[in-house]
Each structure stands twice: as C-alpha cells, then as structure tokens.
Amino acid sequence: RSLVSYLEDHSDAPLMDLQLAVRAFLEAPSINRGGQPIQFEFLGMERAVLLSQDVGWNILRIVQQAVRNAIFHASPESVTVQILRNNASHLLVRIEDDGCGFDVAAVTAGEASRHHFGLTGMRHRSQILGGEIEIHSRVGQGTTVLLTMPLDA
C-alpha cells in the first residue's frame, strides 16, 4: 500500500505524522515528473513527529508550495527539504533549490496583480502556526524558504 493512500485513508486522524506526509508528497509521481533529485532529511529526530492535523497540514502545504515553485519556475538541478528540531521547542523547515532564483521584493509586490498567491499563502500559513517564514533568493543563485515555528503551536 502506498504512502499516498495511507494518508488519504487517515486524513481525519487526530494526529499527523509529518515525516510520512512529506515523504508521500515528495514521492508522488506528479512531483518527481521532471526527474529532479529531491533530497529529504529529518535531522535531530529519532522518531516520528506527530502534530495536530491543523499544524501538520499547514506545514505540509508550505513544503508543497515551496517545492512546486522550485520545480515549475526555477529549473533546479536539485531541491532539498530539511525538517529539524533546533531545540526542544522549535521546528525548522528548510526548502532549498539551486534553480534560477528570483527577486523576492518584485515578485511579492506583483503577486496580487497577477493572481499568484503562493508566497503570500506560505506567509499566511506560517502566521497561523505562530511561526516565521523567510524567503531568500537572488537571480541566478537559487532560493531558500525557511520556516521556524514553535512545537507547541
């Protein structure tokens, strides 16, 4: 049985296994269609990270948006997703690509006028989580999305 069908069967469970959810997304054929290697690392965690459904789904949506943005807009050679506990009370999620990069200020300023709300959506979700999101990118140098959030959210 695939991870995707497991997640679909357990979408109403009270807790979400973040590792399982992110792995299922990254292994989906629609994401890996271009053949770009997507590296995935859980650091500082010996066992599953179980989160409430609300928290887990918001983190997953941020990861999904950042990875899709990289694959569909940046033509990266590689994408790396890291999820780590930086101390007992915070979780760090880093999505990094070596694609073409972009001017964050220009894209953010023009998002609403072009009806593209990906970066705005990620920021909104991070606020819901009580966390902070940073988006660093430069044309020709790739992009890093960093979510820092409290684990007690």
Side-chain angles (χ1 to χ4, degrees), residues 22-42 63-64 66-72 76-82 94-98:
V22 171
R23 278 199 178 110
F25 165 70
L26 295 177
E27 291 174 359
S30 62
I31 291 303
N32 234 343
R33 70 185 172 103
Q36 295 95 340
I38 300 176
Q39 308 298 319
F40 181 50
E41 302 173 349
F42 272 94
V63 170
Q64 288 173 330
V67 169
R68 285 185 177 124
N69 284 352
I71 290 172
F72 295 117
E77 291 292 320
S78 66
V79 178
T80 302
V81 177
Q82 294 178 321
R94 179 190 312 259
I95 304 99
E96 197 165 36
D97 72 71
D98 62 357

Side-chain angles (χ1 to χ4, degrees), residues 33-59:
R33 70 185 172 103
Q36 295 95 340
I38 300 176
Q39 308 298 319
F40 181 50
E41 302 173 349
F42 272 94
L43 306 170
M45 290 174 268
E46 292 74 39
R47 56 185 188 271
V49 177
L50 299 176
L51 301 169
S52 71
Q53 286 289 318
D54 289 343
V55 171
W57 282 112
N58 277 300
I59 294 171

Side-chain angles (χ1 to χ4, degrees), residues 23-24 29 37 48 53 84 105 112-113 132:
R23 278 199 178 110
Q53 286 289 318
L84 61 118
S113 65
E132 294 180 21

Side-chain angles (χ1 to χ4, degrees), residues 10 15 23 32 38 58 65 88 113 136-137 140-141:
H10 293 84
L15 295 176
R23 278 199 178 110
N32 234 343
I38 300 176
N58 277 300
Q65 185 67 53
S113 65
H136 302 282
S137 188
Q141 296 185 12

